[in-house]
């Protein structure tokens, strides 16, 4: 690793760290950083010191970090070089497809295809493709895996090509666990040892929940798949120096409250405070009462409260966890010694000079849910029934609350009413990584089963843990049979219900939802509950702890007050309440202390990059360039580089444009590019059917991200989308002004605009693009012909993705919005001044006879450079081509 050319005056930048018999070169920040500098900013300082080259990373950037806290510092963009890139299969497949396409493009413009290669370690975990098709049976896991391979063999063979043909690219095959739990329990280095150097493990990922490793002192956050591709190819991650919000925790969680209840409380608190684009650090006496799994649960949901990261500094609990999860003695010793020498070891007696502070007394945390469509909408357990009824009335004012749909289930007749729980899913790395809530859920299942309770027959019950360690300790504790009795059989080691891969509902419930308009809800231990995300037939979704998921499966309806009403009745008619079956904290601790052992982690992660026979039998081809199959429904050569010139074309104003969709607040990336099942009657469904794909083979949008023809048709195809151009219509429809105002599917309208040569814009509200780091939420609109998005505010990752695809993000000025300006979406739009965006901070927008200025959200010189190149992939490819030619 090259040493920086620059030096800070009177400071010896580099030094040596001795750990046992090993010696490491380090960029010394322990004596340089101010004593009250936040830990996360210290990590950024180290990265800049080590990578200062006078060109991309300059001394001015280092000086700005040293002056962190000043207003000037917050206006400075810095270039961070991550230690590694982390991704999953549904974002990873299109990213690797783009790399393969870049190899083709490099060859076509006269360069060497093999010069396109990951320059830093890249790890991909296959965890997003398994679907909960089969449930409630002992063979559910094996049958779901078989279906997974049947559906995804082509994608998996492509990943094997990448693993053997690209340098620095490793794949964790299916069935090993969920990426963030695998990262937390095994892959995360905390401190990297590389070529004689030691430095912090900065991990950026194509999933927004990459923040989970913040729980063990790894600075990690989600970036768009487009930015991840650039980082893979050696580009830095450019960002404005962030403000840091300190969250002071006091007290301890009361008995009966879980880490899930805590993180839902924090999500509500910080969304209200406002932390979008900021770093968050936790401090205070309450931190020492939180285990690493508790911290990881909080860190995991950082994107739900909007922050870039949610960081817990390294301390004794971190080191204990690293030992417990089977890290080598050398790695553990290095992490401890490095953190202490570099000022990264948590010092509770020194409170950083945070930009802002927020306080939370843990003793105030109470059992909670969040819903019905946003993680920040926390609901106290006792208020859940009344809050549900209010949400039902708001969502469907004409719904008959007394409606009852008759159904025969398990040989008995039942009346299905609004609010029935159609899905109860113990899912997601957010909570299955935490033994305390998983053991609590299993003990509750045991207690309920022993009293004769069973899940209601209309509930689809699934268990999809984030790692095999969970199965091992539940088996060792003898608790698995009780979960099985309640229908929570193992369905797979993957994200499943949390990402919308929930599979179909119980048929009678599905029919009642579709035919009779029954409002069905899901209860899941995940991190997101956006409208239309979990299942297209489920209208409301609630986040809850694993034990509450079990409780709602027993109750079967959101109308039950779990704080006061019985969950059910024993065979003798005795009512059984939640308090009767909830295990004590001492009982939970006893099971954890006697059952969970380090050897479980060592065994579970042995041969982590080696797959089972199904994976190994897929076959593999090693070649410089991937052989695209023009008949493939899963993998098509991406079109982004077609006709690309060696130099960027001049950018031009947007004239005579039309509004493709006009949207309200809190539009998520799920609204823009859904991940779940592909409906038969959707443009994407019709495309697949026309190509001879049967309904079973449609799979999900997430699995089809390597095929731009599917994903373009899936853009704005969420079944719960509300587009103000078609009021009263729900789903992926819009008004096509290229066809005399006809109401059309969004894709069909976009193609009509393309045929007419009409550019497109999107108009949105506040928090546009919240949710996941989904690159297709930017790729899809770009391919449909969208030139600009005009919104009240943007979520961080999505704004970056838009720029990465050459789409201009424009923001209404404070106090202005589409509604306040009287915009209807029917206007002809012009955006002037685009050619001058190298320096301009505003653009002039004309909508028919209205004119106003909009803020240009190209926040750094790097972002302006990307936009002027038509996107980050084109910028990187041009740089690689010049380097390959020696220019």
């Amino acid at each position: 690793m090259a040493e920086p050319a620059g030096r800070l005056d009177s400071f010896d930048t580099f030094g040596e760290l001795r750990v046992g018999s090993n010696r490491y070169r380090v960029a010394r920040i322990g004596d340089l950083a101010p004593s009250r500098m936040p830990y996360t900013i210290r990590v950024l300082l180290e990265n800049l010191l080590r990578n200062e080259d006078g060109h991309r990373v300059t001394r001015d950037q280092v000086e700005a970090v040293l002056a962190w806290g000043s207003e000037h510092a917050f206006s400075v963009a810095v270039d961070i070089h991550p230690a590694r890139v982390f991704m999953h299969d549904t974002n990873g497949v299109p990213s690797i497809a783009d790399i393969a396409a870049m190899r083709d493009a490099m060859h076509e413009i006269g360069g060497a295809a093999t010069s396109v290669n990951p320059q830093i370690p890249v790890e991909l975990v296959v965890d997003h493709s398994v679907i909960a098709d089969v449930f409630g049976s002992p063979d559910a896991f094996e049958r779901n895996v078989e279906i997974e391979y049947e559906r995804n063999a082509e994608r998996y063979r492509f990943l094997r090509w990448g693993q053997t043909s690209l340098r620095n690219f490793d794949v964790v095959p299916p069935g090993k666990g969920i990426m963030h739990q695998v990262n937390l329990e095994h892959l995360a280095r905390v401190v990297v040892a590389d070529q004689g150097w030691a430095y912090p493990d900065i991990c950026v990922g194509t999933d927004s929940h990459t923040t989970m490793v913040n729980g063990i002192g790894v600075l990690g956050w989600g970036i768009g798949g487009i930015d991840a591709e650039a980082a893979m190819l050696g580009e830095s991650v450019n960002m404005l120096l962030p403000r840091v919000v300190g969250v002071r925790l006091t007290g301890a969680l009361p008995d009966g409250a879980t880490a899930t209840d805590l993180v839902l409380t924090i999500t509500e608190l910080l969304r209200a405070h406002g932390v979008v684009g900021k770093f968050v650090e936790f401090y205070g006496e309450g931190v020492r009462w939180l285990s690493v799994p508790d911290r990881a649960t909080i860190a995991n949901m950082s994107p739900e409260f909007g922050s870039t990261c949610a960081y817990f500094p390294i301390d004794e609990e971190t080191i204990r966890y690293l030992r417990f999860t089977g890290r080598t003695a050398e790695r553990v010793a290095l992490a401890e010694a490095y953190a202490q020498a570099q000022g990264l070891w948590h010092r509770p007696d020194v409170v950083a000079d945070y930009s802002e502070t927020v306080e939370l007394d843990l003793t105030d945390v109470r059992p909670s849910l969040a819903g019905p469509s946003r993680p920040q909408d926390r609901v106290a357990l006792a208020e859940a029934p009344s809050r549900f009824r209010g949400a039902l009335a708001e969502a469907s004012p004409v719904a008959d609350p007394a409606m009852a749909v008759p159904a025969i289930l398990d040989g008995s007749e039942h009346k299905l009413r609004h609010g029935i729980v159609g899905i109860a899913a113990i899912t997601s790395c957010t909570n299955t990584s935490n033994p305390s809530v998983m053991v609590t859920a299993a003990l509750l299942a045991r207690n309920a089963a022993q009293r004769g309770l069973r899940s209601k027959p209309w509930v689809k019950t699934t268990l999809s843990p984030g790692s095999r360690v969970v199965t091992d300790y539940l088996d060792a504790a003898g608790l698995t049979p009780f979960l099985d009795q309640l229908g929570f059989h193992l369905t797979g080691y993957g994200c499943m219900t949390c990402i919308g891969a929930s599979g179909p509902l119980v048929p009678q419930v599905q029919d009642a939802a579709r035919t009779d308009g029954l409002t069905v809800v899901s209860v899941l231990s995940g991190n997101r509950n956006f409208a239309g995300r979990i299942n297209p037939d489920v209208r409301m979704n609630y986040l809850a702890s694993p034990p509450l998921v079990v409780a709602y499966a027993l109750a079967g309806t959101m109308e039950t007050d779990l704080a006061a009403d019985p969950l059910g009745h024993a065979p003798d008619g005795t009512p059984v309440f939640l308090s009767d079956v909830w295990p004590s904290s001492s009982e939970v601790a006893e099971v954890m202390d006697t059952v969970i052992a380090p050897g479980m982690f060592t065994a579970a992660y042995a041969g982590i990059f080696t797959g089972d026979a199904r994976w190994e039998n897929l076959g593999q081809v090693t070649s410089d360039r991937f052989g695209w199959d023009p008949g493939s429904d899963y993998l098509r050569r991406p079109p982004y580089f077609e006709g690309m010139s060696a130099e960027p074309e001049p950018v031009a104003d947007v004239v005579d444009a039309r509004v493709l969709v006009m949207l309200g607040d809190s539009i998520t990336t799920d609204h823009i590019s859904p991940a779940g099942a592909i409906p038969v009657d959707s443009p994407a469904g019709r495309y697949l059917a026309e190509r001879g794909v049967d309904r079973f083979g449609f799979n999900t949008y997430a699995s089809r991200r390597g095929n731009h023809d599917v994903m373009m048709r899936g853009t704005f195809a969420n079944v719960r989308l509300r587009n103000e151009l078609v009021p009263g219509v729900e789903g992926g429809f819009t008004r096509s002004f290229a066809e005399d105002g006809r109401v059309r599917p969004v894709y069909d309208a976009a193609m009509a605009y393309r045929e007419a040569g009409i550019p497109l814009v999107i108009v949105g509200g506040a928090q546009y693009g919240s949710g996941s780091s989904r690159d297709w939420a930017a790729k899809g609109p770009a391919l449909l012909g969208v030139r600009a998005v005009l919104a009240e505010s943007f979520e961080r990752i999505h704004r970056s993705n838009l720029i990465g695809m050459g789409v201009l993000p424009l923001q209404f000025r404070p106090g202005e919005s589409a509604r306040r300006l009287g915009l209807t979406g029917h206007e002809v739009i012009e955006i002037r001044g685009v050619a001058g965006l190298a320096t301009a901070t505003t653009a002039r927008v004309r909508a028919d006879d209205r004119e106003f200025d909009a803020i240009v959200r190209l926040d750094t010189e790097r972002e302006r450079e990307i936009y002027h190149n038509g996107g980050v992939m084109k910028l990187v490819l041009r740089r690689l081509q010049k380097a390959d030619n020696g220019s």
Side-chain angles (χ1 to χ4, degrees), residues 362-531:
L362 301 184
T363 61
D364 293 335
V365 174
R366 294 293 182 268
S368 304
L369 298 87
S373 62
R374 298 194 307 175
Q376 64 262 41
D377 294 334
R378 188 183 66 85
V379 181
L381 188 60
E383 298 173 0
S386 62
R387 292 279 291 274
F388 162 74
R389 289 189 288 271
L392 177 64
E394 182 178 341
S396 182
V398 298
D400 177 8
M403 183 178 71
V405 180
I408 304 296
L409 297 160
D410 290 351
S412 300
E413 183 172 341
H414 298 270
K415 299 289 187 181
L416 305 182
R417 302 179 185 277
H418 291 305
I420 64 165
V421 176
I423 293 175
I426 301 175
T427 182
S428 174
C429 54
T430 309
N431 287 290
T432 68
S433 62
N434 195 323
S436 66
V437 293
M438 293 300 290
V439 170
T440 301
L443 289 171
L444 190 151
R446 180 201 65 186
N447 297 343
Q450 289 176 342
R451 289 174 179 254
L453 299 189
R454 294 294 182 270
S455 299
K456 294 297 187 287
W458 55 79
V459 183
K460 179 172 187 173
T461 46
T462 58
L463 169 63
S464 49
S467 83
R468 291 178 177 267
V469 176
V470 177
T471 300
D472 291 342
Y473 67 66
L474 291 178
D475 285 349
L479 295 173
T480 300
F482 300 107
L483 286 164
D484 291 346
Q485 286 182 45
L486 300 189
F488 288 96
H489 296 269
L490 176 68
T491 50
Y493 297 101
C495 301
M496 303 185 87
T497 301
C498 186
I499 60 160
S502 58
L505 303 179
V506 172
Q508 296 91 328
V509 176
Q510 181 170 283
D511 291 344
R514 294 179 179 180
T515 304
D516 301 290
L518 192 73
T519 297
V520 180
V521 307
S522 72
V523 182
L524 66 151
S525 62
N527 45 44
R528 289 197 171 135
N529 56 341
F530 302 140

Side-chain angles (χ1 to χ4, degrees), residues 241-256:
L241 271 179
R243 299 178 189 273
V244 182
V245 178
V247 179
R248 180 172 178 256
L249 302 179
T250 60
L253 287 176
D255 207 26

Side-chain angles (χ1 to χ4, degrees), residues 65-205:
V65 177
L66 290 174
W68 181 89
S70 67
E71 285 304 313
H72 167 71
F74 296 135
S75 67
V76 174
V78 296
D79 285 271
I80 302 301
H81 289 76
R84 58 194 174 102
V85 173
F86 195 46
M87 58 178 61
H88 56 69
D89 49 308
T90 57
N91 273 347
V93 165
S95 292
I96 300 305
D98 288 348
I99 297 292
M102 290 177 77
R103 281 192 163 194
D104 292 341
M106 178 66 85
H107 173 79
E108 291 162 3
I109 62 176
T114 53
S115 64
V116 180
N117 242 316
Q119 301 298 302
I120 60 176
V122 178
E123 293 153 340
L124 182 149
V125 180
V126 181
D127 66 354
H128 273 51
S129 295
V130 61
I131 301 174
D133 288 295
V134 182
F135 73 100
S137 64
D139 63 346
F141 168 67
E142 187 60 33
R143 289 170 64 189
N144 284 329
V145 171
E146 288 291 346
I147 296 170
E148 174 187 6
Y149 271 91
E150 181 181 341
R151 284 180 173 140
N152 298 288
E154 185 180 353
R155 299 170 62 240
Y156 292 173
R157 277 192 292 271
F158 174 64
L159 290 176
R160 295 209 71 195
W161 169 82
Q163 191 170 24
T164 58
S165 302
L166 303 175
R167 294 194 302 271
N168 296 319
F169 180 57
D170 288 314
V171 176
V172 176
K176 300 288 187 177
I178 301 175
M179 62 181 297
H180 307 301
Q181 196 159 338
V182 172
N183 200 15
L184 182 79
E185 295 178 352
H186 182 75
L187 293 177
R189 285 75 158 164
V190 182
V191 175
V192 176
D194 177 39
Q195 300 180 55
W197 284 79
Y199 51 89
D201 176 19
I202 294 184
C203 175
V204 295

Side-chain angles (χ1 to χ4, degrees), residues 528-606:
R528 289 197 171 135
N529 56 341
F530 302 140
R533 175 183 175 93
I534 304 304
N535 184 288
D537 298 309
V538 173
R539 185 165 289 275
M540 299 185 188
N541 305 291
Y542 291 87
L543 305 181
S545 65
L548 287 183
V549 170
V550 175
Y552 273 104
L554 299 171
T557 174
M558 285 301 299
E559 290 281 12
T560 298
D561 179 356
L562 297 191
D565 300 335
L567 296 175
H569 292 80
D572 63 1
T574 304
V576 180
F577 295 86
L578 182 61
S579 58
D580 297 328
V581 294
W582 193 279
S584 67
S585 57
S586 59
E587 186 177 13
V588 173
E590 182 181 1
V591 171
M592 292 171 56
D593 292 342
T594 58
V595 168
I596 306 175
M600 291 180 173
F601 294 90
T602 305
Y605 291 112

Side-chain angles (χ1 to χ4, degrees), residues 746-805:
V746 171
Y747 171 79
D748 294 339
M751 294 304 99
Y753 284 124
R754 173 182 291 181
E755 183 71 21
I758 298 173
L760 300 172
V761 298
I762 294 166
V763 177
Q767 298 176 2
Y768 183 83
S770 59
S772 72
S773 61
R774 196 160 301 164
D775 56 347
W776 268 106
K779 287 179 174 178
L783 291 179
L784 291 183
V786 172
R787 295 279 305 279
V789 178
L790 177 61
E792 292 177 54
S793 64
F794 292 90
E795 291 287 290
R796 174 184 61 87
I797 298 176
H798 183 63
R799 184 186 66 83
S800 180
N801 273 339
L802 288 172
I803 298 167
M805 286 305 300

Side-chain angles (χ1 to χ4, degrees), residues 34-369:
S35 62
R36 294 169 69 90
M37 175 180 281
Y39 294 95
T40 50
I41 304 303
R42 291 169 182 264
V43 175
L44 298 185
L45 174 62
E46 187 283 336
N47 193 271
L48 295 175
L49 279 173
R50 182 166 38 86
N51 290 289
E52 184 191 353
D53 59 3
H55 172 60
R56 176 54 58 82
V57 180
T58 65
R59 174 172 174 151
D60 287 344
Q61 293 184 24
V62 177
E63 296 284 4
V65 177
L66 290 174
W68 181 89
S70 67
E71 285 304 313
H72 167 71
F74 296 135
S75 67
V76 174
V78 296
D79 285 271
I80 302 301
H81 289 76
R84 58 194 174 102
V85 173
F86 195 46
M87 58 178 61
H88 56 69
D89 49 308
T90 57
N91 273 347
V93 165
S95 292
I96 300 305
D98 288 348
I99 297 292
M102 290 177 77
R103 281 192 163 194
D104 292 341
M106 178 66 85
H107 173 79
E108 291 162 3
I109 62 176
T114 53
S115 64
V116 180
N117 242 316
Q119 301 298 302
I120 60 176
V122 178
E123 293 153 340
L124 182 149
V125 180
V126 181
D127 66 354
H128 273 51
S129 295
V130 61
I131 301 174
D133 288 295
V134 182
F135 73 100
S137 64
D139 63 346
F141 168 67
E142 187 60 33
R143 289 170 64 189
N144 284 329
V145 171
E146 288 291 346
I147 296 170
E148 174 187 6
Y149 271 91
E150 181 181 341
R151 284 180 173 140
N152 298 288
E154 185 180 353
R155 299 170 62 240
Y156 292 173
R157 277 192 292 271
F158 174 64
L159 290 176
R160 295 209 71 195
W161 169 82
Q163 191 170 24
T164 58
S165 302
L166 303 175
R167 294 194 302 271
N168 296 319
F169 180 57
D170 288 314
V171 176
V172 176
K176 300 288 187 177
I178 301 175
M179 62 181 297
H180 307 301
Q181 196 159 338
V182 172
N183 200 15
L184 182 79
E185 295 178 352
H186 182 75
L187 293 177
R189 285 75 158 164
V190 182
V191 175
V192 176
D194 177 39
Q195 300 180 55
W197 284 79
Y199 51 89
D201 176 19
I202 294 184
C203 175
V204 295
T206 59
D207 188 282
S208 55
H209 297 103
T210 301
T211 54
M212 187 166 183
V213 285
N214 295 168
I216 53 173
V218 174
L219 182 55
W221 64 88
I223 60 175
I226 302 159
D227 284 337
E229 292 168 27
M232 289 162 57
L233 295 169
E235 292 290 308
S236 57
V237 175
N238 185 255
M239 61 188 296
L240 288 173
L241 271 179
R243 299 178 189 273
V244 182
V245 178
V247 179
R248 180 172 178 256
L249 302 179
T250 60
L253 287 176
D255 207 26
T258 67
T260 312
D261 303 318
L262 171 58
V263 75
L264 295 180
T265 303
I266 289 173
T267 301
E268 177 187 45
L269 176 70
L270 294 186
R271 264 295 172 188
H273 179 80
V275 293
V276 172
K278 302 172 185 176
F279 284 7
V280 166
E281 286 188 11
F282 292 89
Y283 72 101
E285 61 172 294
V287 171
R288 68 189 181 98
W289 297 108
L290 298 179
S291 66
V292 160
D294 290 345
R295 300 175 188 184
T297 297
I298 296 167
N300 180 286
M301 287 189 68
S302 171
E304 276 61 63
F305 40 85
S307 63
T308 303
C309 66
Y311 189 81
F312 289 86
I314 299 168
D315 63 4
E316 293 88 349
E317 170 62 14
T318 314
I319 300 304
R320 187 203 67 79
Y321 181 81
L322 294 178
R323 282 198 196 94
F324 189 72
T325 50
R327 265 71 168 203
T328 64
E330 292 79 8
R331 185 172 296 283
V332 175
L334 174 60
E336 183 171 9
Y338 185 92
Q340 291 184 345
Q342 293 281 69
L344 296 175
W345 187 264
H346 184 224
R347 290 186 56 192
D349 58 316
V350 178
V351 177
D353 289 323
Y354 293 114
S355 308
E356 309 153 33
T357 57
V358 180
E359 295 197 15
L360 175 64
D361 186 344
L362 301 184
T363 61
D364 293 335
V365 174
R366 294 293 182 268
S368 304
L369 298 87

